[in-house]
Amino acid sequence: MFWSVSARTKNQEAAQIFLNYLVNDQASGDLLLAERGVPANNVVRAAIADKVDATGRLAIEYTDAIADEVRPAPPITPAGGSAIDAILARYASDILFERVTPEAAAPAFIKELSDSIKK
């Protein structure tokens, strides 16, 4: 789970303290257990392992079993990047229904997506 704080928040320090609490504080771990997923903090995770329900226990066992296979999370999608699904679907539909050629759609798609990211 990606936690984030807007760069424009008026309460930057409070937000950082809150996120640190959610991720690294044992009291938060005791409250959340595995409700928001298996804690990424290994100390918190170990401390809650005996407190979670059967589903939480299975989640912890599963993440332990695949630990050697897991790679770092991909980068966070840039602001405006989530528009790609709608943009891609529209261009794909236009190509499939022969309203535009792939050669003409490609640069328009790239420009539209790039413009959405720059916002």
Side-chain angles (χ1 to χ4, degrees), residues 83-95 109 112-113:
I84 190 169
D85 291 337
I87 295 169
L88 183 58
R90 189 167 16 85
Y91 280 96
S93 179
D94 287 347
I95 291 167
F109 166 77
E112 188 173 343
L113 181 59

Side-chain angles (χ1 to χ4, degrees), residues 10-98:
K10 294 177 183 169
N11 302 304
Q12 188 78 30
E13 187 176 339
Q16 289 173 341
I17 290 168
F18 180 63
L19 288 184
N20 184 58
Y21 167 76
L22 287 175
V23 175
N24 299 311
D25 195 287
Q26 182 57 52
S28 171
D30 288 338
L31 289 171
L32 293 173
L33 297 175
E35 187 66 30
R36 305 288 299 173
V38 176
N41 181 309
N42 290 330
V43 173
V44 173
R45 179 178 159 168
I48 69 158
D50 293 334
K51 300 174 185 176
V52 296
D53 61 13
T55 303
R57 200 168 298 109
L58 285 172
I60 290 172
E61 289 172 5
Y62 176 73
T63 56
D64 287 345
I66 65 167
D68 291 339
E69 305 299 321
V70 176
R71 301 294 175 254
I76 297 172
T77 303
S82 60
I84 190 169
D85 291 337
I87 295 169
L88 183 58
R90 189 167 16 85
Y91 280 96
S93 179
D94 287 347
I95 291 167
L96 289 171
F97 288 101
E98 299 179 346

